[in-house]
Amino acid sequence: MRFNHLDLNLLVALDVLLEEQNITRAAERLHMTQSATSGVLGRLRTFFEDDLLVQVGRKMQPTPYALELAKPVREVLITIRSSITTKQVFDPGTSKRHFRLVTSDYLISVLFARVIQHLQKEAPNVTFEMLGPSDNSGELLIRGEVDLMIVPERYIIEGHPSQLLFEEDHVCVVCKDNTKIGDSLSLEQYMQMGHISVGFGRTRHMSIEDWFMSQYGFNRRIEVITNDFNTLPQLVVGTERIATMHKRLAELYATYLPLRILPTPVQVPIMREYMLWHRSMDGDPMHRWIRERISQCIHNIEQNKAA
């Protein structure tokens, strides 16, 4: 397809080139040779009358005009995908859609594993790919490279739809054999103990560390950092350390690990988990069906738990 003498297929290549800023990596993603990819870049330079990418040392850097093009090119490609390539007959029973979701291991353990079981019965050919949270998760959603994010409220992205799924409390977890701690926990005890915490991404963002700092002006004494929520309770066992974690996950692990669950010494704000998606997917029938099923499954799980 051509528009104003531009082969629209070249926009796919331009999007990849601007993201990778490297001919070799772009060629691999485009399934082209390096020479063919260089030729595509040449055609793009001719059309836009701009170098787009220039060699600076061993790296390629986008020109100011290329940076201006990056967002509208990505928006065009997302619109084409949502309005043309995904407009198939809506039939969950036969659909072979592949959905990429950003969600934490905590959510998979306490809720999403059962959600996937329910969805498999109604849409047996639909597949899923779970991606852990990272520094660029929001960018993946904005670029249309993931279908859904299920994340705490603070990660909501302005301009894209979202829906509250459920609320979660935090609790403290210690080993059942820890005799230094009774049935309650003072703030002084809490601050004196060694802590196990979760850190995500290159910045090692802590799950509740920022909140403690802003409220009380001091750090917990963190002795162990892990990169997923499921290892928190496991690392408490056999130690005198403490972990502050999601209540649902703590209750799950307390059924088969020697753990005690205690209230937090101070009230930690309720965490609200939201489902987010790119605005271009809002009206897509299959995408909407998946969102509705996820919401309904979580509601049913919560209802059965309360019963």
Side-chain angles (χ1 to χ4, degrees), residues 61-117:
Q61 293 186 359
T63 64
Y65 183 50
L67 293 175
E68 291 180 12
L69 286 173
K71 184 176 180 179
V73 165
R74 166 52 45 171
E75 291 291 336
V76 165
L77 294 176
I78 290 174
T79 300
I80 291 174
R81 187 186 73 172
S82 63
S83 61
I84 299 176
T85 61
T86 62
K87 294 301 181 185
Q88 302 170 358
V89 176
F90 172 59
D91 182 4
T94 60
S95 174
K96 295 183 179 180
R97 286 277 290 274
H98 179 70
F99 288 90
R100 302 183 81 215
L101 285 72
V102 171
T103 187
S104 68
D105 64 298
Y106 140 71
L107 280 167
I108 294 173
S109 295
V110 301
L111 290 172
F112 226 85
R114 282 175 284 175
V115 170
I116 293 295
Q117 292 172 12

XYZ file of all heavy atoms in Angstrom, residues 61-117:
459
model
N 22.363 7.718 16.040
C 21.474 8.569 16.812
C 20.429 9.182 15.895
O 20.726 9.570 14.759
C 22.270 9.676 17.516
C 23.200 9.152 18.598
C 23.868 10.279 19.364
O 23.658 11.460 19.084
N 24.685 9.925 20.349
N 19.187 9.287 16.375
C 18.127 9.881 15.557
C 18.304 11.390 15.442
O 18.753 12.050 16.377
C 16.855 9.527 16.322
C 17.302 9.357 17.735
C 18.696 8.809 17.676
N 17.950 11.913 14.299
C 17.971 13.359 14.105
C 16.760 13.968 14.815
O 15.812 13.254 15.184
C 17.897 13.701 12.612
O 16.624 13.247 12.107
C 19.029 13.045 11.842
N 16.742 15.279 15.012
C 15.563 15.914 15.631
C 14.272 15.609 14.876
O 13.221 15.390 15.495
C 15.907 17.400 15.588
C 17.409 17.429 15.643
C 17.852 16.241 14.840
N 14.337 15.571 13.546
C 13.136 15.270 12.765
C 12.686 13.832 12.995
O 11.487 13.545 13.084
C 13.400 15.518 11.286
C 12.192 15.310 10.399
C 10.967 15.907 10.705
C 12.273 14.523 9.263
C 9.863 15.739 9.896
C 11.163 14.333 8.448
C 9.958 14.941 8.775
O 8.863 14.757 7.971
N 13.643 12.910 13.121
C 13.305 11.511 13.384
C 12.600 11.370 14.724
O 11.645 10.590 14.866
C 14.567 10.657 13.357
N 13.046 12.118 15.703
C 12.401 12.074 17.012
C 10.968 12.582 16.937
O 10.078 12.087 17.641
C 13.205 12.906 18.018
C 14.602 12.361 18.379
C 15.335 13.342 19.280
C 14.501 10.993 19.046
N 10.733 13.564 16.070
C 9.371 14.059 15.872
C 8.493 13.018 15.191
O 7.298 12.926 15.452
C 9.388 15.336 15.033
C 9.995 16.551 15.734
C 9.970 17.783 14.846
O 9.294 17.741 13.801
O 10.624 18.777 15.206
N 9.102 12.222 14.315
C 8.350 11.214 13.571
C 7.996 9.992 14.413
O 7.009 9.309 14.136
C 9.163 10.739 12.356
C 9.279 11.677 11.163
C 10.267 11.108 10.151
C 7.910 11.869 10.512
N 8.793 9.691 15.420
C 8.675 8.423 16.149
C 7.270 8.182 16.686
O 6.683 7.113 16.472
C 9.704 8.372 17.280
N 6.698 9.158 17.385
C 5.382 8.955 17.997
C 4.271 8.816 16.964
O 3.475 7.860 17.043
C 5.073 10.089 18.969
C 3.757 9.890 19.702
C 3.512 10.976 20.733
C 2.194 10.760 21.454
N 1.955 11.814 22.474
N 4.153 9.739 15.974
C 3.067 9.560 14.999
C 3.180 8.287 14.179
O 2.171 7.678 13.831
C 3.176 10.812 14.106
C 4.518 11.392 14.368
C 4.867 11.015 15.765
N 4.408 7.853 13.862
C 4.586 6.599 13.123
C 4.066 5.438 13.959
O 3.343 4.563 13.470
C 6.076 6.390 12.754
C 6.321 4.951 12.316
C 6.472 7.348 11.641
N 4.409 5.409 15.252
C 3.943 4.341 16.130
C 2.425 4.368 16.249
O 1.758 3.318 16.202
C 4.614 4.499 17.493
C 4.028 3.705 18.657
C 3.845 2.234 18.443
N 4.933 1.523 17.835
C 4.982 0.204 17.745
N 4.002 -0.522 18.236
N 5.993 -0.382 17.143
N 1.828 5.557 16.354
C 0.374 5.673 16.464
C -0.315 5.154 15.201
O -1.348 4.487 15.278
C -0.020 7.134 16.728
C 0.376 7.665 18.097
C -0.420 7.038 19.217
O -1.541 6.566 18.972
O 0.095 7.004 20.358
N 0.253 5.456 14.044
C -0.321 4.972 12.779
C -0.320 3.457 12.745
O -1.315 2.813 12.380
C 0.460 5.541 11.575
C 0.119 4.779 10.313
C 0.144 7.026 11.394
N 0.788 2.850 13.130
C 0.906 1.386 13.096
C -0.054 0.733 14.080
O -0.645 -0.310 13.781
C 2.350 0.969 13.390
C 3.378 1.381 12.331
C 4.787 1.005 12.777
C 3.066 0.743 10.984
N -0.208 1.330 15.253
C -1.149 0.782 16.237
C -2.576 0.869 15.712
O -3.373 -0.064 15.848
C -1.018 1.535 17.579
C 0.318 1.204 18.252
C -2.173 1.176 18.514
C 0.579 2.018 19.503
N -2.912 1.989 15.079
C -4.257 2.169 14.530
C -4.533 1.150 13.433
O -5.623 0.555 13.375
C -4.418 3.594 13.974
O -4.209 4.536 15.027
C -5.801 3.780 13.376
N -3.552 0.929 12.565
C -3.718 -0.057 11.492
C -3.948 -1.436 12.087
O -4.824 -2.187 11.659
C -2.483 -0.062 10.566
C -2.432 1.243 9.760
C -2.509 -1.270 9.640
C -1.175 1.403 8.935
N -3.153 -1.787 13.110
C -3.287 -3.107 13.714
C -4.647 -3.280 14.364
O -5.309 -4.310 14.202
C -2.201 -3.327 14.772
C -2.188 -4.751 15.305
C -1.209 -4.926 16.445
N -1.704 -4.291 17.661
C -1.122 -4.424 18.847
N -0.010 -5.127 18.958
N -1.630 -3.822 19.908
N -5.107 -2.257 15.096
C -6.359 -2.387 15.838
C -7.587 -2.321 14.941
O -8.605 -2.943 15.232
C -6.445 -1.304 16.913
O -6.470 -0.014 16.320
N -7.510 -1.579 13.835
C -8.690 -1.362 13.002
C -8.769 -2.277 11.795
O -9.832 -2.444 11.212
C -8.727 0.096 12.524
O -7.585 0.391 11.738
N -7.634 -2.868 11.425
C -7.638 -3.702 10.223
C -7.261 -5.146 10.539
O -8.030 -6.073 10.320
C -6.678 -3.139 9.153
C -7.130 -1.733 8.747
C -6.625 -4.051 7.945
C -6.201 -1.040 7.769
N -6.065 -5.347 11.081
C -5.553 -6.711 11.232
C -6.268 -7.508 12.315
O -6.247 -8.735 12.283
C -4.049 -6.689 11.539
O -3.828 -5.991 12.785
C -3.282 -5.991 10.442
N -6.913 -6.864 13.292
C -7.577 -7.605 14.356
C -9.080 -7.700 14.163
O -9.773 -8.282 14.989
C -7.301 -6.959 15.727
O -7.832 -5.631 15.737
C -5.817 -6.917 16.020
N -9.606 -7.119 13.077
C -11.045 -7.160 12.859
C -11.446 -8.466 12.188
O -11.844 -8.529 11.030
C -11.485 -5.967 12.004
C -11.304 -4.624 12.704
C -12.081 -4.556 14.007
C -11.890 -3.192 14.653
N -12.526 -3.113 15.976
N -11.337 -9.546 12.968
C -11.754 -10.851 12.482
C -13.119 -11.168 13.085
O -13.634 -10.443 13.928
C -10.722 -11.891 12.873
C -9.321 -11.576 12.336
C -8.276 -12.490 12.945
O -8.569 -13.329 13.784
N -7.042 -12.318 12.516
N -13.700 -12.285 12.681
C -14.980 -12.694 13.249
C -14.802 -12.944 14.734
O -13.879 -13.637 15.161
C -15.488 -13.972 12.539
C -16.779 -14.459 13.187
C -15.716 -13.690 11.055
N -15.697 -12.341 15.539
C -15.560 -12.465 16.989
C -16.132 -13.793 17.448
O -17.346 -13.988 17.488
C -16.274 -11.300 17.674
C -16.340 -11.444 19.172
C -15.175 -11.541 19.923
C -17.562 -11.478 19.813
C -15.231 -11.676 21.302
C -17.624 -11.611 21.205
C -16.459 -11.714 21.935
N -15.254 -14.721 17.778
C -15.659 -16.037 18.267
C -14.585 -16.549 19.213
O -13.588 -17.130 18.781
C -15.845 -17.005 17.100
C -16.326 -18.377 17.573
O -16.576 -18.531 18.778
O -16.424 -19.292 16.740
N -14.745 -16.321 20.522
C -13.726 -16.760 21.478
C -13.405 -18.248 21.373
O -12.267 -18.656 21.601
C -14.362 -16.421 22.836
C -15.319 -15.324 22.542
C -15.864 -15.616 21.180
N -14.398 -19.043 21.031
C -14.187 -20.486 20.955
C -13.199 -20.913 19.892
O -12.569 -21.964 20.007
N -13.042 -20.110 18.841
C -12.119 -20.468 17.754
C -10.972 -19.477 17.601
O -10.058 -19.719 16.811
C -12.883 -20.551 16.418
O -13.478 -19.272 16.134
C -13.963 -21.619 16.477
N -11.022 -18.388 18.336
C -9.984 -17.358 18.210
C -8.605 -17.917 18.568
O -8.452 -18.715 19.498
C -10.299 -16.177 19.128
O -9.244 -15.236 19.114
N -7.593 -17.463 17.820
C -6.205 -17.853 18.073
C -5.358 -16.635 18.430
O -4.151 -16.623 18.193
C -5.629 -18.575 16.855
C -6.311 -19.907 16.555
C -5.672 -20.623 15.380
C -6.354 -21.955 15.123
N -5.726 -22.684 13.965
N -6.004 -15.642 19.012
C -5.276 -14.431 19.403
C -4.229 -14.744 20.466
O -4.410 -15.631 21.300
C -6.251 -13.385 19.947
C -7.098 -12.701 18.900
C -6.383 -11.543 18.225
N -6.202 -10.417 19.121
C -7.106 -9.458 19.328
N -8.289 -9.516 18.727
N -6.834 -8.443 20.136
N -3.156 -13.974 20.433
C -2.085 -14.086 21.429
C -2.050 -12.782 22.212
O -1.922 -11.703 21.635
C -0.743 -14.332 20.740
C 0.404 -14.442 21.701
N 0.549 -15.514 22.541
C 1.455 -13.609 21.953
C 1.647 -15.350 23.276
N 2.205 -14.206 22.941
N -2.197 -12.874 23.528
C -2.235 -11.691 24.373
C -0.977 -11.614 25.238
O -0.595 -12.590 25.889
C -3.472 -11.716 25.272
C -4.752 -11.461 24.541
C -5.483 -12.507 23.997
C -5.235 -10.171 24.373
C -6.659 -12.283 23.309
C -6.421 -9.925 23.692
C -7.128 -10.986 23.155
N -0.361 -10.440 25.219
C 0.820 -10.190 26.055
C 0.404 -9.312 27.230
O -0.167 -8.240 27.042
C 1.922 -9.505 25.249
C 2.364 -10.287 24.020
C 3.512 -9.568 23.313
N 4.796 -9.839 23.957
C 5.785 -8.951 24.060
N 5.619 -7.714 23.617
N 6.921 -9.290 24.628
N 0.682 -9.775 28.438
C 0.253 -9.083 29.651
C 1.462 -8.767 30.519
O 2.356 -9.596 30.689
C -0.711 -9.946 30.464
C -2.148 -10.107 29.980
C -2.227 -10.981 28.741
C -3.005 -10.706 31.093
N 1.465 -7.566 31.086
C 2.448 -7.208 32.112
C 1.769 -7.380 33.460
O 0.760 -6.731 33.742
C 2.933 -5.750 31.951
C 3.784 -5.352 33.159
C 3.730 -5.591 30.663
N 2.301 -8.278 34.270
C 1.753 -8.511 35.597
C 2.807 -9.147 36.477
O 3.743 -9.780 35.980
C 0.490 -9.395 35.526
O -0.117 -9.460 36.810
C 0.836 -10.806 35.066
N 2.684 -8.991 37.765
C 3.688 -9.508 38.685
C 3.447 -10.978 39.009
O 2.353 -11.512 38.820
C 3.679 -8.707 39.989
O 2.483 -8.946 40.703
N 4.483 -11.628 39.522
C 4.351 -13.030 39.930
C 3.364 -13.169 41.084
O 2.700 -14.200 41.223
C 5.715 -13.602 40.316
C 6.316 -12.906 41.528
O 6.560 -11.675 41.440
O 6.547 -13.568 42.551
N 3.249 -12.139 41.905
C 2.265 -12.148 42.997
C 0.859 -12.313 42.439
O 0.061 -13.140 42.911
C 2.401 -10.853 43.813
C 1.117 -10.209 44.261
C 0.325 -10.788 45.245
C 0.690 -9.010 43.690
C -0.865 -10.187 45.649
C -0.480 -8.403 44.098
C -1.264 -8.994 45.074
O -2.434 -8.399 45.468
N 0.527 -11.528 41.401
C -0.805 -11.602 40.824
C -1.059 -12.940 40.138
O -2.163 -13.474 40.199
C -1.001 -10.453 39.832
C -1.349 -9.103 40.450
C -1.217 -7.989 39.439
C -2.756 -9.138 41.024
N -0.047 -13.472 39.495
C -0.196 -14.780 38.852
C -0.506 -15.837 39.900
O -1.380 -16.691 39.705
C 1.071 -15.146 38.057
C 1.251 -14.182 36.874
C 0.999 -16.591 37.553
C 2.559 -14.350 36.135
N 0.188 -15.779 41.036
C 0.021 -16.796 42.078
C -1.346 -16.733 42.745
O -1.996 -17.759 42.948
C 1.115 -16.650 43.135
O 2.385 -16.927 42.581
N -1.786 -15.535 43.110
C -2.998 -15.436 43.926
C -4.283 -15.352 43.114
O -5.361 -15.666 43.624
C -2.922 -14.238 44.904
C -1.730 -14.368 45.819
C -2.898 -12.912 44.161
N -4.185 -14.929 41.851
C -5.402 -14.747 41.068
C -5.301 -15.248 39.634
O -6.163 -15.987 39.161
C -5.813 -13.261 41.056
C -6.341 -12.670 42.368
C -6.517 -11.166 42.223
C -7.666 -13.308 42.752
N -4.239 -14.834 38.943
C -4.265 -14.991 37.496
C -4.133 -16.428 37.024
O -4.611 -16.777 35.944
C -3.196 -14.123 36.836
C -3.728 -13.370 35.653
C -4.376 -12.162 35.824
C -3.642 -13.891 34.385
C -4.895 -11.473 34.761
C -4.171 -13.216 33.307
C -4.788 -12.006 33.489
N -3.509 -17.278 37.818
C -3.435 -18.685 37.428
C -4.838 -19.264 37.287
O -5.134 -20.014 36.352
C -2.618 -19.470 38.455
N -5.729 -18.868 38.213
C -7.107 -19.362 38.128
C -7.892 -18.665 37.016
O -8.757 -19.275 36.378
C -7.801 -19.160 39.476
C -7.406 -20.215 40.515
C -8.005 -19.934 41.872
N -7.293 -18.859 42.553
C -7.680 -18.352 43.728
N -8.762 -18.807 44.318
N -6.976 -17.389 44.297
N -7.578 -17.412 36.759
C -8.223 -16.711 35.648
C -7.907 -17.411 34.325
O -8.798 -17.635 33.492
C -7.763 -15.243 35.597
C -8.243 -14.573 34.311
C -8.302 -14.478 36.808
N -6.646 -17.771 34.151
C -6.223 -18.457 32.928
C -6.948 -19.796 32.777
O -7.332 -20.200 31.671
C -4.698 -18.668 32.931
C -3.974 -17.320 32.830
C -4.265 -19.581 31.784
C -4.196 -16.599 31.526
N -7.158 -20.487 33.890
C -7.888 -21.759 33.837
C -9.300 -21.548 33.320
O -9.785 -22.314 32.477
C -7.925 -22.386 35.228
C -6.585 -22.863 35.753
C -6.661 -23.301 37.205
O -7.757 -23.451 37.760
N -5.510 -23.494 37.830
